[in-house]
């Protein structure tokens, strides 16, 4: 498949869940989600601060996709030169996440629409988990998608019949635009899309997505693709940027996060389900990847994060 065929065949499912409002110069911790999160900046300017990575400057029109398990904070730099109408998230069954500094004006804020995102392709529903680093693009008022920003603001400020469905469709447009912009500018930065294009590797990819806790090895994955171990490992690295075991590790950590948040399984049982024979080894790897222990992650404790990276 070529890139255009991938975009034509993938199914994107954005689920809007919150409107974040920061009034004045302040921070709003957004924690670690077990799924990918899309932030669309509706007004204001600031930055998204990430653990262990450079911060991302954002302003009106910025689209930022944060991969699963990435702890991040939204920071407002203060007054907005583009005030927006008062949003009514409750009428859309969205949460309002608000951080306000005492004495700030209502229009002195950064406002963002947040959505969980799933991407499906050829029967696999978790291909979004292949994304390992945040993606950010900016849409200006004069561009083709400029009117989408205005339509989103209209639906948020004056909800009516079908507004939530309309917002979902508009966010799908934004997501497709983000992907094609990134690929057009630097195809090497979207290795996960290159991996989806390469049908010779799909059998191994599907096996890891479907069962990250399985007893996968480079040899077993190569066999699924009908390749020798060395040829498979080299091709996978050439296409994706890292080896298959590195990807498998990330998929296991993401699956572990889901089990920790959505089940009562003991940590040892979670470790076994995601392919670790030792709870100690699992806990060490989980904390190295997320910055918190499995128990703290389950209880929603995020640990400390520096103000700047």
């Amino acid at each position: 498949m070529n890139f255009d065929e991938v975009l034509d065949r993938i199914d994107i499912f954005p689920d809007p869940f919150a409107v974040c409002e920061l009034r004045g110069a302040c921070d709003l911790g957004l924690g670690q989600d077990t799924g990918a999160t899309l932030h669309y900046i509706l007004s204001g300017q600031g930055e998204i601060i990430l653990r262990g990575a450079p911060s991302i400057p954002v302003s009106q029109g910025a689209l930022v996709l944060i991969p699963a398990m990435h702890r991040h904070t939204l920071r407002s730099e203060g007054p907005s030169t583009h005030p927006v109408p008062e949003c009514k998230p409750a009428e859309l069954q969205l949460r309002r996440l608000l951080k306000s500094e005492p004495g700030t004006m209502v229009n002195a804020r950064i406002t963002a629409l947040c959505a969980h995102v799933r991407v499906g392709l050829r029967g696999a529903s978790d291909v979004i988990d292949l994304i390992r680093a945040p993606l950010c693009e900016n849409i200006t008022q004069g561009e083709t998608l400029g009117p989408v920003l205005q339509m989103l603001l209209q639906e948020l400020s004056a909800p009516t019949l079908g507004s939530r469905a309309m917002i979902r469709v508009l966010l799908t447009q934004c997501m497709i635009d983000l992907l094609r912009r990134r690929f057009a500018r630097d195809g090497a930065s979207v290795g996960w899309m290159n991996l989806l294009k390469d049908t010779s590797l799909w059998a191994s990819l599907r096996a890891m997505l479907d069962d990250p806790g399985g007893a996968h090895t480079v040899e077993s994955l190569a066999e699924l693709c009908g390749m020798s171990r060395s040829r498979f490992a080299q091709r996978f690295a050439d296409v994706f940027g890292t080896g298959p075991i590195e990807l498998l590790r990330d998929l296991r950590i993401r699956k572990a996060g889901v089990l920790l948040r959505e089940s009562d399984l003991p940590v040892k049982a979670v470790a076994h389900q995601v392919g670790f024979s030792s709870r100690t080894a699992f806990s060490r790897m989980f904390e190295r990847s997320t910055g918190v222990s499995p128990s703290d992650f389950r209880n929603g404790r995020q640990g400390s994060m520096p103000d700047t990276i």
Side-chain angles (χ1 to χ4, degrees):
M1 287 191 292
N2 58 37
F3 180 72
D4 195 58
E5 288 175 314
V6 172
L7 277 182
D8 187 48
R9 295 185 187 187
I10 60 174
D11 297 310
I12 299 174
F13 306 98
D15 183 19
F17 69 90
V19 174
C20 298
E21 295 178 333
L22 283 74
R23 301 179 179 180
C26 55
D27 292 354
L28 178 63
L30 299 173
Q32 288 165 296
D33 208 312
T34 56
T37 305
L38 181 69
H39 299 291
Y40 192 5
I41 307 302
L42 302 172
S43 69
Q45 62 183 24
E47 59 183 340
I48 292 179
I49 302 170
L50 299 133
R51 173 182 172 271
S55 61
I56 301 173
V58 294
S59 57
Q60 185 183 47
L63 277 167
V64 185
L65 184 70
I66 305 294
M69 308 297 289
H70 279 53
R71 179 156 35 115
H72 56 294
T73 294
L74 181 61
R75 170 172 292 175
S76 170
E77 295 180 354
S80 169
T81 56
H82 300 285
V84 299
E86 187 67 23
C87 297
K88 301 178 181 179
E91 297 183 29
L92 293 161
Q93 298 181 322
L94 308 180
R95 288 183 290 145
R96 172 176 253 128
L97 303 179
L98 179 66
K99 183 69 178 290
S100 180
E101 289 294 296
T104 56
M105 297 177 60
V106 171
N107 68 344
R109 68 187 182 197
I110 186 171
T111 307
L113 175 62
C114 309
H116 294 130
V117 179
R118 292 182 296 112
V119 176
L121 177 68
R122 297 173 62 181
S125 61
D126 296 320
V127 297
I128 195 76
D129 293 338
L130 301 176
I131 298 178
R132 309 175 75 188
L135 301 178
C136 180
E137 294 292 334
N138 291 285
I139 297 173
T140 63
Q141 290 284 0
E143 295 185 61
T144 304
L145 277 187
V148 171
L149 175 62
Q150 297 306 313
M151 293 177 72
L152 282 169
L153 290 173
Q154 174 64 29
E155 297 294 342
L156 287 166
S157 61
T160 186
L161 181 65
S163 284
R164 187 179 173 90
M166 181 65 77
I167 289 172
R168 188 177 295 111
V169 170
L170 294 171
L171 286 174
T172 299
Q173 287 183 260
C174 292
M175 183 69 188
I176 292 173
D177 194 65
L178 183 154
L179 295 176
R180 68 179 181 181
R181 283 168 182 251
R182 178 55 62 94
F183 189 85
R185 188 177 69 252
D186 180 15
S189 71
V190 283
W192 69 285
M193 294 292 288
N194 293 324
L195 192 56
L196 295 182
K197 291 191 327 181
D198 195 325
T199 55
S200 69
L201 296 173
W202 180 253
S204 64
L205 177 61
R206 182 66 187 269
M208 288 189 282
L209 288 170
D210 286 349
D211 183 20
H216 305 298
T217 64
V218 177
E219 290 80 2
S220 67
L221 295 170
E223 185 176 352
L224 289 174
C225 297
M227 298 182 190
S228 68
R229 182 192 188 281
S230 58
R231 182 180 171 220
F232 169 75
Q234 185 61 56
R235 186 172 184 87
F236 198 100
D238 288 344
V239 171
F240 190 58
T242 65
I245 299 306
E246 286 78 8
L247 171 60
L248 182 61
R249 178 202 61 204
D250 291 346
L251 294 175
R252 286 175 169 174
I253 294 299
R254 191 265 174 180
K255 178 64 175 180
V258 172
L259 291 172
L260 290 167
R261 288 276 173 85
E262 298 181 6
S263 78
D264 296 324
L265 289 172
V267 173
K268 184 176 182 180
V270 171
H272 287 166
Q273 283 209 20
V274 298
F276 287 83
S277 58
S278 161
R279 170 177 171 160
T280 301
F282 163 69
S283 296
R284 190 185 304 117
M285 179 63 72
F286 190 91
E287 186 163 357
R288 187 185 305 160
S289 298
T290 67
V292 294
S293 69
S295 296
D296 284 347
F297 182 85
R298 167 169 274 167
N299 294 324
R301 292 192 288 269
Q302 300 296 331
S304 61
M305 188 167 72
D307 290 335
T308 58
I309 301 297

